[in-house]
Amino acid sequence: SSFRSGTKLVAPLGCLVSRQKHTLPDLPYDYAALEPHINAEIMQLHHSKHHATYVNNLNVVEEKYKEALAKGDVTTQVSLQPALKFNGGGHINHTIFWTNLSPNGGGEPKGELMEAIKRDFGSFANFKEKLTAVSVGVQGSGWGWLGYNKEQGRLQIAACANQDPLQGTTGLIPLLGIDVWEHAYYLQYKNVRPDYLKAIWNVINWENVSSRYATCKK
């Protein structure tokens, strides 16, 4: 039996060695599709430059991490953690963000998600106000999130600094993320973050958020 348990380790380690590199996901809509709420220039730069940089850097960091792991070099592994968190978080967060937006978005969610929002925040208007306030209040760069607390079985609002990923840093499952880095809005809204946050509700893809909620509740 000890031999058998030993062979089980081969598969995951093998996967690690031949792992696929992370790639930039395609947007499910054109760069100009979210206008006038988010303009094409922002979307193009945000996706093809900013997100692409996180992906490239993540692949580089993982390669170095893999080498350090093979050598048993714990010092290097530890020193790579911040870059792993930043670029890995940037990739995770943006991959969710693009699907949270849609040219056919806006309005209000339906069904189970709406019921949960009313249960946990009193009303949709109250939820919207709270998430907007938390997002406006992020100091410097970061994200506002609607997450699901699996242990407590309830929705929760949280803010994360920089590219800290919600689940990896708070344990909450990400449902809806709002990017409040300046690169997400500055070209169009200058330094007036509240105007950007007001506009983004017109393109929120509630179908996507609802299906995320349904999946994480299982």
Side-chain angles (χ1 to χ4, degrees):
S1 76
S2 64
F3 174 72
R4 252 193 230 132
S5 65
T7 55
K8 274 182 192 166
L9 290 173
V10 176
L13 285 171
C15 292
L16 202 101
V17 174
S18 65
R19 91 180 160 77
Q20 295 292 304
K21 285 208 180 307
H22 299 285
T23 55
L24 181 69
D26 292 332
L27 285 191
Y29 40 77
D30 293 334
Y31 286 138
L34 304 180
E35 290 191 341
H37 312 292
I38 304 174
N39 72 30
E41 192 184 6
I42 286 176
M43 291 302 292
Q44 187 176 358
L45 288 167
H46 198 170
H47 178 258
S48 72
K49 297 284 189 276
H50 291 283
H51 189 173
T53 301
Y54 298 129
V55 171
N56 295 337
N57 290 343
L58 177 60
N59 285 324
V60 170
V61 172
E62 282 195 346
E63 206 54 49
K64 288 179 182 169
Y65 199 90
K66 199 173 76 179
E67 285 167 22
L69 212 54
K71 290 179 191 162
D73 180 356
V74 179
T75 303
T76 300
Q77 288 170 51
V78 171
S79 74
L80 289 168
Q81 294 290 331
L84 197 59
K85 184 180 181 182
F86 184 78
N87 293 294
H91 179 41
I92 290 167
N93 293 343
H94 285 89
T95 301
I96 296 167
F97 184 60
W98 308 130
T99 64
N100 277 170
L101 304 174
S102 165
N104 310 311
E108 297 183 359
K110 297 178 179 78
E112 278 196 357
L113 178 64
M114 188 58 152
E115 285 166 32
I117 285 172
K118 285 176 178 169
R119 181 195 68 209
D120 296 331
F121 302 104
S123 68
F124 179 73
N126 201 31
F127 152 73
K128 193 172 161 180
E129 201 178 298
K130 272 192 170 169
L131 183 53
T132 300
V134 161
S135 304
V136 168
V138 170
Q139 293 187 328
S141 301
W143 291 72
W145 288 98
L146 170 67
Y148 181 63
N149 185 324
K150 201 152 183 147
E151 275 177 27
Q152 296 176 14
R154 68 184 183 93
L155 300 173
Q156 224 171 296
I157 284 171
C160 290
N162 302 311
Q163 291 299 353
D164 290 5
L166 185 73
Q167 195 165 359
T169 52
T170 69
L172 297 173
I173 299 167
L175 303 179
L176 169 62
I178 299 179
D179 189 348
V180 290
W181 277 65
E182 283 193 340
H183 66 228
Y185 61 87
Y186 200 87
L187 283 172
Q188 188 172 1
Y189 295 98
K190 303 297 182 271
N191 60 327
V192 192
R193 190 188 283 177
D195 283 0
Y196 156 70
L197 287 165
K198 204 169 156 186
I200 205 168
W201 291 101
N202 295 303
V203 288
I204 297 295
N205 183 356
W206 289 115
E207 271 181 38
N208 178 264
V209 183
S210 292
S211 66
R212 285 178 172 282
Y213 178 59
T215 305
C216 74
K217 269 189 68 198
K218 282 173 188 169

